[in-house]
Amino acid sequence: MPERFVPLREVRALSGYTAQLVAGYQEDTAATFIRRYPELEGLRYTRSQRNGRDWFVVYLGRFEQKQAARAAVAELPSSIRSQQPWIRALEDI
């Protein structure tokens, strides 16, 4: 899903916060999650490293304040909220 992929260096260059929704070692994990929720246009994913392997992270948008990210999560479908999204600084992805 190249239209939803953002290189890690670009993600980390942003200020603010995001909600990490899902992560996994296979890119298909990210793509499947994004395809499952086509109405969520703010979903993006990036590739980092974990345990020496590629690690694909799906996140929701960019927010100036943690509270704004939390508010966005509160509006997500219950199937996503039940997975307890992680609010984190973009520079830490």
Side-chain angles (χ1 to χ4, degrees):
M1 301 190 81
E3 70 279 5
R4 299 285 186 108
F5 180 80
V6 181
L8 184 61
R9 69 184 180 291
E10 291 179 24
V11 175
R12 289 184 173 165
L14 297 170
S15 62
Y17 298 89
T18 193
Q20 179 178 316
L21 304 180
V22 70
Y25 287 114
Q26 296 181 359
E27 187 171 12
D28 193 51
T29 300
T32 298
F33 184 88
I34 291 170
R35 277 194 293 274
R36 184 174 177 195
Y37 299 99
E39 71 278 13
L40 299 177
E41 294 179 19
L43 293 181
R44 299 288 182 265
Y45 79 102
T46 192
R47 181 181 60 229
S48 64
Q49 292 283 306
R50 182 174 180 171
N51 298 324
R53 296 174 57 194
D54 286 343
W55 184 247
F56 297 90
V57 177
V58 177
Y59 64 96
L60 176 67
R62 177 186 165 275
F63 304 93
E64 292 295 325
Q65 307 277 329
K66 271 188 177 183
Q67 191 57 32
R70 286 188 188 109
V73 167
E75 299 296 320
L76 293 172
S78 61
S79 57
I80 296 175
R81 289 192 323 266
S82 69
Q83 295 178 36
Q84 301 177 340
W86 180 15
I87 306 301
R88 59 189 303 196
L90 284 159
E91 66 188 23
D92 294 336
I93 292 276

